[in-house]
Amino acid sequence: MDAALEKWSAEEKDHIRTSIATMLASPLFAGSPRQVRFLDYLLTHTLAGEADRLKGYTIAVEVFDKKDDFDPSLDAIVRVEATRLRNKLREYYDTLGMQDSVRIELPKGGYALEITLQATTLQFNSIAKSVASQSLSLNAVPASTPRLIRDKPSLAVLPFMNIGADNAKEYFADGVVDSLIAMFSRLSGLFVISRQSSFTYKNTIKTSEQIAAELGVRYLLEGSVQHAGKQVRVTTQLVDAKNSGQVWSERYDRELKDIFVLQDELTQNIVRVLQIKLAGEEAMQFGIQQTASIEAHDYLLQAIALHRKYSDKTTYEAIALYQKALVLDAAYAAAHAWLARSLSLAWSQRWNLDPAVLDEALLHVERAIELDPQSPYGMSILGWVQLWRKNRDEGIANCRRAITLDPNNAEAHLFLSIALSAAGLGDEALYYVEKAQRLSPIPDPFYIYTHAMCCYAQKNYQKAIAIFEQGCHLSHSFMPNHVFQLFAYEQLGLHDKVREKYEMVISLRDGDKSIPTVALWTDQTLAEEQVALWERVSARYA
């Protein structure tokens, strides 16, 4: 028997089998019965210490139903399927299995699996024990450094420094980076980290190597913006984190009215330097001027900065600025889309529960799509608004369309995951939130909430509790993680935990005992269940 196997306890072996069973049930493997059978066979014999039986001939006969006269030198089926399996395993761990504590590799030149258990492997198993004893560990869901993307160039656009005496113009520098990320994101030949994660490195003292390792990318785009009067200077450099070398740098001096041309030129230079092949109509996105009004664009950038503070006051200030932008340019698609987003935020956070708010949001996002039918951002916001309007099929379809238009759009993946969970489709929802988390690997309470909701929709309440706990620890004020963790505790009958969480939620809401979140379920049974759970808990502890 392999000596490495002897140090694995029965519990560890069970954990390995459970992890692989989850992998094989995932959407990535669900449509590949041959790959499922192949991996299951390799795992069974590897765990049994029978690696010597894993030969090409034996596999061909016992897995792929070849006859006894099979000749591996004439038929490459086993080698071909092994290559497919290696690629599928790599894709799984880059997306759905990014946080798995069990890692499986199929080395070239053999068929015995290499199984790695990270140091925190058994922490997940301890979740069930700690839930049963009503005590949860904050480390129940281990985080891991994302793997480097190898099949295409990978890039993170870091926040540009705002240079100049006017610190109030920082929103403009952020807007330039937002636009660059959006443009790069639409290129299928490039892997791009989301703004959500990139901007966590604002004013960081970390090295390029550290940042790239944490994000799982090879290239970093850094720079600065100097905005004075009607002139703007953008200085950029592309860094290869593999050797900390500068690959390319450039300085752009332009009139402010040419900012869109500048952003196009910068993006095209990176495409050239990284030798990215543009597919289909990708080249057509260059040269499109979003608005002829620089003042309208400036209002939009100010509004976006306010929106991202996520308070009722700043949201309404942002709405006022979007409206100013639209007075100057009523055909500014991005302003319509962002206005729809802020309006839906006001609804979802219960700052304004007048149904007319969602009607207005729908009108603006539909106008945005009318003006720019190929806008992935507009399409994702349309899906988001449809979700809150309880239009299940339209919401899911529009989010899928946004991902087709922009395969690097982390928010579109996130919104689609939420829409699928809301419909009770937890398995597929999990696939998309894992992709979103790879595109945005820095922990965020909303992404964690979305991940946990997939497990909740699957009725895997133990795992949901552990993931919600991670979100609660990251942000004490983000209410949805607390509320749905309470519901998961109630589903398991853990009344001491329910009471503790209930009292915390009521305290955070200054004594308000009404149901604390707008139910997003489009599955009627789940929507009614949520109301019943809150009423039951409230009655018990009133």
Side-chain angles (χ1 to χ4, degrees):
M1 178 175 289
D2 190 330
L5 295 173
E6 296 176 358
K7 66 180 181 181
W8 290 347
S9 66
E11 185 180 15
E12 287 173 321
K13 290 182 181 180
D14 286 343
H15 181 60
I16 293 169
R17 293 187 182 96
T18 300
S19 178
I20 302 306
T22 300
M23 176 197 293
L24 296 180
S26 70
L28 194 60
F29 279 86
S32 305
R34 176 178 283 185
Q35 292 286 294
V36 169
R37 185 179 177 188
F38 189 15
L39 181 54
D40 181 66
Y41 179 89
L42 298 180
L43 177 68
T44 298
H45 288 288
T46 300
L47 286 179
E50 299 172 350
D52 57 323
R53 291 198 71 244
L54 297 175
K55 307 297 184 184
Y57 175 85
T58 308
I59 293 169
V61 173
E62 297 187 3
V63 177
F64 301 121
D65 301 320
K66 293 294 182 179
K67 295 181 180 180
D68 294 344
D69 60 354
F70 172 77
D71 187 345
S73 65
L74 299 177
D75 190 337
I77 184 171
V78 180
R79 296 191 297 278
V80 169
E81 292 298 330
T83 299
R84 288 184 58 211
L85 181 57
R86 289 186 191 100
N87 293 336
K88 201 171 283 286
L89 286 169
R90 186 180 304 113
E91 181 179 358
Y92 178 79
Y93 288 121
D94 281 341
T95 54
L96 290 173
M98 186 174 62
Q99 294 186 338
D100 280 13
S101 56
V102 176
R103 295 278 170 158
I104 303 293
E105 290 189 16
L106 179 58
K108 291 184 178 180
Y111 300 106
L113 297 176
E114 287 187 0
I115 305 173
T116 304
L117 281 73
Q118 296 180 12
T120 51
T121 292
L122 292 183
Q123 288 182 353
F124 179 81
N125 283 337
S126 69
I127 293 171
K129 295 178 181 178
S130 56
V131 168
S133 63
Q134 303 180 19
S135 173
L136 285 171
S137 165
L138 291 180
N139 298 317
V141 183
S144 58
T145 301
R147 292 187 174 192
L148 179 66
I149 301 296
R150 298 189 182 281
D151 61 343
K152 62 179 72 174
S154 51
L155 174 71
V157 185
L158 300 182
F160 286 10
M161 290 180 59
N162 175 50
I163 298 177
D166 190 357
N167 290 331
K169 289 293 186 181
E170 187 168 342
Y171 72 85
F172 185 86
D174 291 350
V176 170
V177 175
D178 283 347
S179 296
L180 293 175
I181 291 173
M183 294 173 75
F184 286 127
S185 181
R186 296 185 66 174
L187 305 179
S188 59
L190 182 66
F191 178 88
V192 184
I193 291 294
S194 75
R195 181 201 194 276
Q196 180 76 35
S197 285
S198 289
F199 269 72
T200 62
Y201 295 98
K202 199 165 194 174
N203 302 318
T204 186
I205 60 172
K206 292 185 176 180
T207 66
S208 298
E209 296 96 319
Q210 288 174 306
I211 296 172
E214 291 173 6
L215 296 175
V217 297
R218 178 169 176 178
Y219 297 101
L220 301 175
L221 185 64
E222 305 168 342
S224 63
V225 176
Q226 188 171 0
H227 178 194
K230 294 184 179 181
Q231 298 295 315
V232 61
R233 169 177 290 176
V234 176
T235 303
T236 60
Q237 65 172 354
L238 183 67
V239 176
D240 184 346
K242 188 175 182 180
N243 54 25
S244 299
Q246 180 177 292
V247 178
W248 168 89
S249 66
E250 187 64 84
R251 188 179 79 184
Y252 302 87
D253 290 297
R254 298 285 190 278
E255 291 186 34
L256 188 59
K257 65 182 179 66
D258 294 325
I259 187 64
F260 298 118
V261 176
L262 184 160
Q263 290 167 175
D264 272 354
E265 186 178 338
L266 197 164
T267 305
Q268 289 175 304
N269 278 333
I270 299 298
V271 167
R272 175 182 54 78
V273 170
L274 295 182
Q275 299 182 345
I276 300 166
K277 294 182 179 179
L278 301 181
E281 300 179 349
E282 289 177 350
M284 294 177 63
Q285 69 170 300
F286 300 113
I288 298 175
Q289 179 136 340
Q290 300 172 17
T291 177
S293 172
I294 291 301
E295 190 178 357
H297 183 61
D298 195 72
Y299 278 137
L300 174 66
L301 298 183
Q302 292 181 59
I304 292 171
L306 287 167
H307 171 95
R308 287 188 166 127
K309 294 181 179 179
Y310 299 110
S311 73
D312 53 350
K313 179 177 181 294
T314 57
T315 297
Y316 288 120
E317 289 173 349
I319 288 170
L321 288 172
Y322 298 134
Q323 291 168 338
K324 284 187 176 182
L326 290 171
V327 168
L328 294 170
D329 184 355
Y332 194 3
H336 283 288
W338 272 100
L339 175 53
R341 180 167 191 173
S342 289
L343 289 168
S344 61
L345 177 66
W347 168 267
S348 67
Q349 296 303 306
R350 300 176 67 87
W351 299 326
N352 188 339
L353 290 180
D354 183 348
V357 172
L358 288 182
D359 293 339
E360 186 180 356
L362 182 63
L363 286 173
H364 280 288
V365 74
E366 287 181 336
R367 177 59 175 152
I369 297 300
E370 181 183 343
L371 291 165
D372 186 0
Q374 298 302 308
S375 168
Y377 182 77
M379 199 65 67
S380 67
I381 298 304
L382 178 58
W384 185 238
V385 172
Q386 294 285 21
L387 171 62
W388 288 108
R389 290 174 60 85
K390 303 300 176 67
N391 295 333
R392 163 187 161 153
D393 293 342
E394 294 91 334
I396 291 174
N398 287 317
C399 288
R400 291 192 196 280
R401 173 64 176 155
I403 291 172
T404 300
L405 290 169
D406 182 354
N408 289 299
N409 190 328
E411 283 193 331
H413 284 86
L414 192 75
F415 292 166
L416 178 54
S417 178
I418 294 171
L420 290 166
S421 289
L425 304 174
D427 290 350
E428 189 177 0
L430 185 62
Y431 175 78
Y432 286 101
V433 75
E434 292 284 7
K435 282 202 164 188
Q437 289 176 314
R438 180 60 189 93
L439 290 162
S440 187
I442 302 302
D444 172 84
F446 189 34
Y447 281 65
I448 291 171
Y449 161 76
T450 305
H451 188 180
M453 287 302 291
C454 300
C455 301
Y456 190 95
Q458 292 174 315
K459 302 189 184 302
N460 187 348
Y461 301 120
Q462 292 177 347
K463 188 171 184 180
I465 286 170
I467 300 173
F468 283 131
E469 185 67 24
Q470 208 181 36
C472 293
H473 181 64
L474 193 63
S475 173
H476 188 68
S477 62
F478 187 74
M479 190 67 65
N481 280 317
H482 291 292
V483 173
F484 279 94
Q485 187 183 48
L486 181 154
F487 291 150
Y489 280 136
E490 180 67 13
Q491 296 281 15
L492 294 176
L494 300 175
H495 292 167
D496 287 349
K497 283 291 184 182
V498 173
R499 181 166 193 157
E500 179 184 325
K501 184 62 68 171
Y502 177 76
E503 291 174 350
M504 178 187 295
V505 169
I506 298 304
S507 175
L508 288 171
R509 303 182 69 229
D510 297 323
D512 184 355
K513 296 183 179 180
S514 62
I515 190 165
T517 56
V518 177
L520 55 78
W521 301 112
T522 54
D523 181 283
Q524 189 61 33
T525 300
L526 290 172
E528 293 172 355
E529 179 185 76
Q530 177 177 320
V531 174
L533 285 170
W534 182 257
E535 291 177 346
R536 187 166 74 211
V537 170
S538 296
R540 185 187 305 139
Y541 303 117

